[in-house]
Amino acid sequence: MKKHRTLKFFISLGLIVLVLAGIFVGGYFILDKAVVPKYFGKFGINNMSELVGMMTTLYSNKDEDDIVTYGYTENDRNVAESKLIEKGIPALSNGRLDYNSFASGDFEIAANSVIMLTDRELASVINEMLKTGMLADRLPNLKYINTLNMEMLELIITPEKIDGVLNENKADVKFTIKIDTTSIRGQMAVEMGMPLFLLNMIVPKTLYLTNTVTLTNDGGEWSYVGGDIGINGKTTEKSKILLNLLISFIFPAEDEMTTEKLQENLGEVLVKSTDMLGSIEFSDNINSINQNGVVVTTK
């Protein structure tokens, strides 16, 4: 009788395992043949193998220290804020720049005053502008990403030189922005009519978006030419599918957003932030160690 009960137990256990395996295989089959092609086919992801391959590429991330190689320091921020306070922007009681007053324009700066900021100093100020929300209204094309979810981690300005002569109105600008995707993923899931867990599998919680754009100032009008753009330290080619996903399901169709337009809109982060002070020119001789940056002439 004991042997009979033992045999019955193992038969039952085996049946349970077979049922669970069937459910797993069936679920995998549905994902592989139906769900993945339905939602991701037009982006070049047609089965679970291709989905896993993309996830592997995205999630084999470099550390932030590997992605951000020219980050600013607290000293850069302190120096930059001191320069702005010296020109008339109010300070808080703790000595920090009063960004609320900065945003409201509740200050006076003498016209044609010159403020020289290295690219690292400028990056630190732009990051504070993003955190306080003072750039949100000035960057309407980025409202669907939400500038409050963005952090400026680094900014590298390389002014153009022709035969050794500096062009103050043209520069290659490379910058890395950190984006918290929590709210973006929820928005994407709604727009796609897709279970959130699928997007959670694909889109990392934190994105490091590295963009290179050439900025040219022609008589006060800025033009943008996009270069490389990558996610989490990946090349443009390896980031293409996720970039297309983000663009297609974050931005409404009427925006006709493309990778090139996204690069331009991100480039405006630099232009709109400095425009709050005055006009800018690029320089390779900002301080005693000849760092690159901008020369701002107040209005």
Side-chain angles (χ1 to χ4, degrees), residues 111-243:
N112 298 318
S113 293
V114 174
I115 306 171
M116 303 179 72
L117 298 171
T118 69
D119 43 12
R120 279 178 164 167
E121 292 167 359
L122 180 58
S124 71
V125 171
I126 292 176
N127 186 56
E128 296 300 318
M129 290 179 169
L130 290 168
K131 284 168 58 177
T132 57
M134 62 186 289
L135 290 180
D137 291 340
R138 296 171 180 268
L139 299 167
N141 292 327
L142 295 177
K143 65 183 178 181
Y144 297 104
I145 295 178
N146 188 350
T147 56
L148 290 174
N149 293 330
M150 298 165 56
E151 295 180 44
M152 176 69 76
L153 298 185
E154 74 174 349
L155 174 64
I156 304 171
I157 295 175
T158 307
E160 181 183 70
K161 288 185 178 181
I162 301 175
D163 296 329
V165 179
L166 176 72
N167 182 353
E168 298 172 336
N169 294 310
K170 187 174 182 180
D172 289 332
V173 179
K174 178 182 177 182
F175 53 92
T176 298
I177 290 178
K178 181 178 179 180
I179 302 175
D180 184 334
T181 68
T182 303
S183 62
I184 295 175
R185 279 178 287 148
Q187 178 182 332
M188 289 175 69
V190 171
E191 293 293 331
M192 297 171 72
M194 176 190 294
L196 183 58
F197 81 89
L198 276 178
L199 279 179
N200 288 342
M201 288 171 61
I202 298 169
V203 183
K205 181 181 185 300
T206 300
L207 290 181
Y208 297 92
L209 192 60
T210 301
N211 184 30
T212 302
V213 63
T214 300
L215 298 181
T216 304
N217 188 354
D218 184 8
E221 293 294 324
W222 287 96
S223 62
Y224 307 81
V225 177
D228 293 329
I229 181 169
I231 293 176
N232 292 2
K234 310 302 180 187
T235 64
T236 300
E237 184 62 29
K238 289 185 176 180
S239 304
K240 183 187 298 182
I241 291 176
L242 186 52
L243 277 170

Side-chain angles (χ1 to χ4, degrees), residues 3 55 58 61 73 91 100 104 125 134 155 185 199 205 212 219 269:
K3 289 183 178 179
M55 290 165 56
L58 285 173
N61 291 336
T73 65
N100 288 327
S104 66
V125 171
M134 62 186 289
L155 174 64
R185 279 178 287 148
L199 279 179
K205 181 181 185 300
T212 302
V269 173

